[in-house]
């Protein structure tokens, strides 16, 4: 299983999931299929980071696409604010954070860990400052506003997927050379998602909605493990630019179809 084949499978699963997100009459099992998409894309970024010839350029590209997606989402969400149907999708943001944090941790120096902590503290307080104190309410949905500034500043809390999926990326990176460890860690993480949802998934107070950004069936992501374990270390035909372009394109098209149907 090459990287390209993994991404294509994830892309198909993601598309089905997003059909279920924007077309409200779609069956719930569309979302079950979609659970395998995010872990595979996270794994693909870990592999891509490991093999890229220019890691800084790779990280900058992820951030620029995250920034572009955030701005695109903002324009559409403001323009169609009266529909109360928002685009919350910007998975470039957690992928950027995963790659960036790996880069900092690879330095193996305490000061870079301190830089990481300071960065996240500043990103958190800047996001809160803009939304809560400066009252820059871009839309009528506070969560959407936080996600915009979270993507801009790189806050691990205020991005799609939240901190747990960034954590998954770090786990997959640490176990990348040992499939046995990957299998154990991935299974434990899937179980952890189930337990977290049972304990805190229904809570809407404090920061829980930003930490637990997944449904009760998130544990179905375990179905992605065999695909990840079948990875053969080869890149495949690539299609790098296709994946970057397909993501925003299909979301926008499905969003407008959803608005029209509503």
């Amino acid at each position: 299983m090459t990287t390209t084949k993994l991404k294509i499978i994830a892309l198909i699963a993601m598309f089905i999931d997003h059909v279920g997100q924007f077309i409200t009459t779609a069956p719930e099992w569309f979302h079950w299929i979609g659970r395998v998409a995010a872990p595979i894309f996270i794994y693909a970024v870990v592999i891509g980071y490991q093999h890229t010839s220019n890691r800084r350029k790779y990280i900058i590209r992820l951030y620029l696409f995250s920034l572009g997606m955030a701005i695109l989402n903002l324009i559409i969400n403001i323009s169609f604010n009266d529909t109360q149907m928002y685009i919350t999708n910007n998975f470039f943001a957690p992928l950027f954070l995963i790659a960036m944090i790996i880069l900092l941790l690879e330095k193996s120096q305490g000061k870079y860990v301190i830089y990481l902590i300071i960065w996240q503290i500043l990103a958190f307080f800047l996001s809160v400052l803009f939304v809560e104190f400066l009252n820059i309410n871009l839309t009528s949905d506070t969560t959407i506003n936080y996600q915009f500034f979270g993507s801009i500043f790189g806050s691990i809390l205020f991005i799609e997927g939240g901190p747990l999926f960034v954590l998954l990326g770090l786990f997959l990176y640490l176990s990348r050379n040992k499939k046995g460890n990957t299998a154990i860690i991935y299974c434990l993480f899937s179980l952890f998602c189930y337990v977290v949802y049972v304990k805190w998934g229904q809570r809407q107070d404090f920061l829980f909605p930003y930490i637990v950004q997944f449904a009760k069936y998130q544990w179905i992501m375990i179905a992605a493990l065999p695909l990840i374990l079948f990875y053969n270390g080869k890149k495949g035909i690539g299609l790098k630019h296709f994946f970057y372009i397909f993501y925003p394109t299909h979301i926008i098209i499905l969003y407008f179809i959803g608005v029209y149907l509503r």
Side-chain angles (χ1 to χ4, degrees):
M1 184 79 70
T2 65
T3 305
T4 301
K5 289 181 179 179
L6 280 174
K7 287 182 179 180
I8 290 174
I9 293 172
L11 182 145
I12 294 171
M14 175 185 67
F15 179 80
I16 294 172
D17 184 39
H18 289 161
V19 169
Q21 175 184 345
F22 293 109
I23 313 301
T24 55
T25 55
E28 186 181 40
W29 57 264
F30 276 31
H31 296 302
W32 302 350
I33 295 174
R35 295 314 93 195
V36 306
I40 293 177
F41 279 124
I42 289 173
Y43 184 72
V45 162
V46 169
I47 298 301
Y49 173 87
Q50 185 180 6
H51 294 291
T52 185
S53 58
N54 190 327
R55 291 179 174 178
R56 293 183 183 274
K57 184 178 179 180
Y58 183 73
I59 291 172
I60 290 173
R61 180 168 63 247
L62 284 172
Y63 176 73
L64 290 178
F65 273 92
S66 171
L67 179 63
M69 192 70 193
I71 294 172
L72 183 61
N73 288 352
L74 178 65
I75 293 172
I76 295 175
N77 287 335
I78 291 177
S79 301
F80 294 87
N81 185 53
D82 58 329
T83 68
Q84 298 295 296
M85 183 174 175
Y86 300 109
I87 300 178
T88 61
N89 311 78
N90 187 2
F91 209 68
F92 289 124
L95 297 182
F96 155 71
L97 275 170
I98 290 169
M100 186 66 192
I101 293 173
I102 290 174
L103 176 67
L104 292 176
L105 295 180
E106 274 189 341
K107 300 294 184 180
S108 299
Q109 297 182 32
K111 66 177 182 180
Y112 288 102
V113 176
I114 295 174
Y115 292 159
L116 173 61
I117 294 172
I118 293 175
W119 167 29
Q120 287 305 309
I121 291 174
L122 287 175
F124 173 82
F125 281 108
L126 283 172
S127 299
V128 173
L129 174 67
F130 277 89
V131 175
E132 302 293 345
F133 294 97
L134 298 181
N135 293 317
I136 301 180
N137 296 315
L138 305 171
T139 71
S140 56
D141 190 307
T142 302
T143 302
I144 303 299
N145 301 332
Y146 268 118
Q147 281 196 343
F148 173 75
F149 290 112
S151 297
I152 298 298
F153 300 125
S155 171
I156 194 173
L157 186 63
F158 302 128
I159 55 169
E160 183 185 4
L164 293 183
F165 282 92
V166 176
L167 188 63
L168 174 61
L170 298 181
F171 286 155
L172 290 177
Y173 172 75
L174 293 174
S175 64
R176 65 194 182 281
N177 295 323
K178 296 182 179 180
K179 291 189 176 183
N181 291 347
T182 297
I184 293 172
I185 290 174
Y186 192 86
C187 289
L188 290 175
F189 185 86
S190 300
L191 176 62
F192 177 70
C193 285
Y194 174 78
V195 173
V196 166
Y197 185 85
V198 169
K199 292 183 66 67
W200 299 296
Q202 303 300 321
R203 295 191 61 171
Q204 296 300 313
D205 56 318
F206 194 50
L207 298 176
F208 288 104
Y210 300 101
I211 297 174
V212 188
Q213 295 187 37
F214 47 82
K216 60 184 178 181
Y217 44 76
Q218 184 60 43
W219 63 270
I220 297 177
M221 63 183 282
I222 192 69
L225 179 59
L227 300 172
I228 291 174
L229 295 179
F230 283 145
Y231 171 63
N232 59 13
K234 298 181 180 179
K235 179 179 179 180
I237 61 176
L239 298 177
K240 176 179 66 176
H241 299 294
F242 171 74
F243 293 108
Y244 281 105
I245 295 172
F246 180 85
Y247 182 77
T249 302
H250 89 281
I251 286 176
I252 293 170
I253 292 173
L254 289 176
Y255 173 82
F256 283 117
I257 292 175
V259 169
Y260 173 77
L261 292 177
R262 289 183 62 179

